[in-house]
Amino acid sequence: MQSTTSTEGSPTLQVRLWGTRGTIPTPIAANLGHGGNTSCIQILVPGQPETHLIFDAGTGIRALGHSLPHETGRRFHIFFTHFHWDHIQGLPSFGPLFSRNTIDFHSSRSPDELRRVLQAQMTAPCFPIEFDSVFSSRSFHQLAADASQIEGVTIEPFALHHPGDATGYRISRSGATIVYATDHEHGNAEADGRLLHAATNADILLYDSQYTPESYPQHIGWGHSTWLEATRLATRAQVKQLVLFHHDPTHDDATLHRIVDQAREHFPNTIAATEGTTLNAG
């Protein structure tokens, strides 16, 4: 697993990237440098390997499950930004779901609606095992309007601008902050203001950068932003590192390299999200 240090010294928080692609998995050779799996990140607390905080359950969550020791009795917290297919489609392949573990699901929706959404993708004829037949113990939670604490980590949700709604997260511990803001379309003043407030002084900002400034006009209203808007937000918020996230399925590695070069002209500490990378904060 590649590790990239965003700040000096021993990290307070880490984010591991398991799925960085948007819309649909693209496991083709030209994309594998940055990865073809859809959205999934893991927050790690150094020294606390038992803390399992996962954000989104795109196809990247399958490899996350396989990376863990084959043991039971663990507890996982899975937070959803929203329920478009590319953010939930990996859950039926998440190994710990089928073992005697405890999984807490969190979203902006009511517990009953959250459960119904996750049940729906694991029903015949689409999937051979029903959601209620798995061995794990599952509970469903609606996010509080303010911050919540899980094993020493503060998690603050905020509303993004996306069709059907989406939630961003400010994740912090002992002065270190990671902001996860995928599936956001710039241009809504209220939502942009919330995002700017959440991202201010963050160590790491993962931001929806699906489109280029040239392609965005053909996709207005689709719920995604551009690498240029990412750099503008990172500059205003004075973040330490910008991570371009939710890569367009048509953007191969060569395209992403060109995008990063352009973005660095506006915000030098910019990288493109890459599967298998661990970033340090604090």
Side-chain angles (χ1 to χ4, degrees):
M1 185 73 64
Q2 180 182 356
S3 180
T4 300
T5 302
S6 61
T7 55
E8 294 182 359
S10 178
T12 303
L13 281 177
Q14 296 178 306
V15 55
R16 185 167 296 169
L17 309 181
W18 294 97
T20 63
R21 188 70 51 175
T23 307
I24 191 169
T26 57
I28 59 174
N31 291 2
L32 296 185
H34 287 284
N37 283 302
T38 60
S39 302
C40 179
I41 69 169
Q42 178 187 17
I43 298 297
L44 303 170
V45 180
Q48 295 181 204
E50 72 284 355
T51 301
H52 298 286
L53 303 176
I54 300 167
F55 292 79
D56 280 331
T59 56
I61 201 172
R62 176 180 177 273
L64 192 166
H66 285 314
S67 74
L68 300 171
H70 296 291
E71 58 187 40
T72 60
R74 292 168 296 183
R75 185 170 188 177
F76 298 85
H77 292 272
I78 301 179
F79 294 81
F80 293 98
T81 56
H82 62 309
F83 301 108
H84 286 165
W85 185 232
D86 51 330
H87 293 258
I88 65 171
Q89 66 192 123
L91 187 62
S93 299
F94 182 52
L97 182 68
F98 299 90
S99 301
R100 298 195 183 279
N101 298 300
T102 298
I103 303 180
D104 294 87
F105 297 103
H106 306 261
S107 82
S108 63
R109 304 297 179 91
S110 71
D112 286 345
E113 186 175 3
L114 172 56
R115 184 184 186 114
R116 286 197 300 271
V117 169
L118 301 182
Q119 282 177 323
Q121 67 171 344
M122 293 178 63
T123 57
C126 298
F127 199 76
I129 302 173
E130 293 188 355
F131 187 64
D132 288 338
S133 298
V134 300
F135 289 130
S136 60
S137 174
R138 287 147 289 117
S139 60
F140 307 86
H141 310 274
Q142 186 168 18
L143 294 165
D146 53 4
S148 59
Q149 289 267 345
I150 296 178
E151 300 184 45
V153 179
T154 301
I155 299 167
E156 301 174 73
F158 56 94
L160 298 171
H161 182 219
H162 191 70
D165 298 329
T167 301
Y169 294 94
R170 179 181 171 95
I171 306 141
S172 56
R173 175 178 178 262
S174 301
T177 299
I178 297 167
V179 174
Y180 181 52
T182 186
D183 291 65
H184 173 77
E185 183 168 359
H186 63 280
N188 178 287
E190 186 176 355
D192 288 346
R194 286 192 297 265
L195 175 53
L196 175 60
H197 177 74
T200 297
N201 296 322
D203 293 283
I204 298 170
L205 169 64
L206 296 103
Y207 182 80
D208 182 335
S209 309
Q210 178 153 345
Y211 301 127
T212 65
E214 295 76 21
S215 66
Y216 173 69
Q218 289 76 50
H219 299 92
I220 292 174
W222 288 37
H224 301 286
S225 193
T226 71
W227 64 260
L228 181 58
E229 290 297 329
T231 64
R232 290 170 175 169
L233 172 61
T235 300
R236 290 195 297 269
Q238 297 183 331
V239 305
K240 293 183 176 67
Q241 181 165 61
L242 172 62
V243 183
L244 306 180
F245 194 80
H246 204 272
H247 305 314
D248 192 277
T250 66
H251 289 172
D252 60 15
D253 293 331
T255 300
L256 291 176
H257 294 162
R258 289 194 296 271
I259 286 173
V260 169
D261 287 342
Q262 291 175 294
R264 285 176 175 168
E265 295 178 5
H266 300 265
F267 191 84
N269 201 13
T270 300
I271 62 172
T274 300
E275 280 182 37
T277 298
T278 300
L279 305 173
N280 300 332

